[in-house]
Amino acid sequence: MSLRPHFGPCPLPIQHYPQVLMAHGSGGRMMHHLIEQMFLATFGNEQTGHHDAACLDLSHPHIAFTTDSYVVSPIFFPGGDIGRMAIYGTVNDLAMAGARPLYLSLSFILEEGLSMETLWQVVQSIRFAANQAQVAIVTGDTKVVERGKCDGLYINTSGIGSIEHAWDISPASIRAGDAILINGDLGRHAIAIMAQREGLAFETTLESDLAPLARAVLALIEAGVEIHCLRDLTRGGLATALNELAQAAHCLVQLGETIPVSESVAGASEILGLDPLYLANEGRFVAFLPPSQVQRAIAILQAVDPDSTPQQIGVVEADLPPSPPPFWVKMHTPFGGNRILDYRNVDGLPRIC
């Protein structure tokens, strides 16, 4: 299957309405045409229609529910766009709870003057991503705001997934001695956004790692791998995620010297004065699991995605820290000491997702 969405011709008469108008959000005929010809024609299924709510069959006793909003700038970037990010990001949040993604809601806030062709490309990208992630978009909403009140378009999603196992995959399940596994290299999403936003050119084109993670997680679960906790490494990157998890589980995390970062990301980070350990990712996660499960988990992840480079990057220390400890996460250095990886005191890159 191609990993790039295919954009067919926009069905709306763009020669009459080449841009989004305030009337497209007024509740009248133009809004009806936008919903019918743009959204329902793309996402329509047995659950969607002209109802304000979708009626769903949720036969599983345990359900995961999440919501998120997407304001990434620019809308299109190397390796993805706001549409694919909205779907994959929501699917990934469900997957981190060990859930099988089932249903999504999709709401647009559109700026007056947005190119109708741009909207059509985003809608087609969303359809591609939903098909790839095997989720149904079952309800949604559209609002139009005045020119200058929104940077093109924003997207809000909510997602529902079924938990089909008895494990408690959460920070509360992290145990002393757990191995920490990562599914690939760090920092590509943030660097791709930064380069596109600032017009930077590097020798190698850097693309976002944007990807759906549910297939990999479900493969681990279905194979019986004992997963204690999962976390995707979005805003704040690896270091921030591990601090949050260690603090929630009241444990100390020890990382090894080698954390996977590509030469391109490392070089760009050095030029820009950024630390890859704190950079956002959109297709990376960490898993906490018993050391005896590591090699099996790595083999499963590589079978699901032969291009992935999963590896163990650390452990949960056996000794509990004092309360409160001076730090939660440390990393071995080549000089024989440890580097403390604390929360950053400065904001990360804005509008990254």
Side-chain angles (χ1 to χ4, degrees):
M1 176 186 293
S2 170
L3 296 181
R4 302 285 185 182
H6 172 70
F7 302 138
C10 180
L12 288 177
I14 60 173
Q15 67 273 23
H16 297 151
Y17 305 111
Q19 297 177 328
V20 172
L21 305 178
M22 290 301 297
H24 283 117
S26 67
R29 186 179 301 276
M30 289 178 64
M31 182 174 180
H32 173 77
H33 285 166
L34 179 67
I35 293 172
E36 284 278 342
Q37 298 177 34
M38 179 80 77
F39 302 134
L40 283 179
T42 302
F43 306 124
N45 53 56
E46 61 271 17
Q47 285 94 13
T48 56
H50 290 284
H51 301 294
D52 286 334
C55 298
L56 308 176
D57 177 14
L58 300 176
S59 56
H60 296 280
H62 298 290
I63 298 297
F65 177 72
T66 188
T67 189
D68 210 341
S69 298
Y70 298 88
V71 298
V72 64
S73 176
I75 292 173
F76 300 98
F77 50 85
D81 57 73
I82 192 173
R84 288 168 68 187
M85 178 179 284
I87 302 303
Y88 293 161
T90 308
V91 164
N92 292 349
D93 285 346
L94 293 171
M96 294 304 104
R100 182 184 304 278
L102 297 174
Y103 305 114
L104 268 61
S105 71
L106 176 68
S107 294
F108 290 95
I109 298 177
L110 308 176
E111 182 183 10
E112 178 188 15
L114 173 70
S115 163
M116 199 66 75
E117 187 64 31
T118 295
L119 178 58
W120 175 244
Q121 290 184 17
V122 171
V123 165
Q124 292 306 297
S125 190
I126 288 171
R127 180 177 66 173
F128 168 87
N131 289 340
Q132 188 185 27
Q134 297 181 323
V135 291
I137 297 171
V138 295
T139 190
D141 185 51
T142 305
K143 295 291 188 293
V144 179
V145 298
E146 294 87 347
R147 192 184 300 267
K149 297 296 180 65
C150 167
D151 190 7
L153 78 157
Y154 300 148
I155 298 176
N156 174 267
T157 54
S158 292
I160 293 175
S162 60
I163 299 176
E164 303 167 3
H165 53 83
W167 297 330
D168 177 20
I169 298 178
S170 72
S173 296
I174 294 174
R175 299 288 180 263
D178 274 355
I180 304 171
L181 182 69
I182 195 170
N183 70 319
D185 62 301
L186 296 176
R188 285 199 276 133
H189 176 71
I191 295 297
I193 293 287
M194 186 74 166
Q196 182 78 3
R197 186 182 295 170
E198 303 300 331
L200 303 176
F202 300 105
E203 291 184 2
T204 303
T205 299
L206 294 169
E207 290 195 349
S208 170
D209 62 345
L210 181 64
L213 299 174
R215 185 174 169 224
V217 170
L218 292 174
L220 294 173
I221 292 172
E222 290 166 0
V225 175
E226 183 185 341
I227 301 172
H228 293 165
C229 186
L230 297 164
R231 176 64 62 89
D232 55 340
L233 308 177
T234 53
R235 282 176 299 180
L238 173 68
T240 300
L242 290 179
N243 270 281
E244 291 173 350
L245 293 174
Q247 187 171 0
H250 198 76
C251 64
L252 290 177
V253 167
Q254 175 71 67
L255 297 181
E257 293 181 21
T258 305
I259 306 295
V261 178
S262 71
E263 291 184 6
S264 298
V265 169
S269 298
E270 185 174 359
I271 292 171
L272 297 171
L274 302 173
D275 187 339
L277 299 181
Y278 290 89
L279 292 180
N281 312 269
E282 288 295 336
R284 300 291 179 257
F285 69 94
V286 289
F288 290 72
L289 66 168
S292 61
Q293 304 278 307
V294 168
Q295 293 307 314
R296 190 156 159 256
I298 288 175
I300 292 169
L301 292 175
Q302 288 178 329
V304 171
D305 181 6
D307 294 328
S308 66
T309 55
Q311 67 180 69
Q312 182 178 347
I313 59 170
V315 296
V316 176
E317 290 198 340
D319 296 329
L320 290 177
S323 185
F327 56 86
W328 297 103
V329 182
K330 56 184 177 177
M331 177 182 176
H332 284 308
T333 69
F335 309 104
N338 279 300
R339 172 191 173 191
I340 305 304
L341 298 178
D342 203 352
Y343 291 103
R344 293 182 69 95
N345 292 322
V346 296
D347 292 336
L349 298 176
R351 304 283 301 280
I352 203 75
C353 61

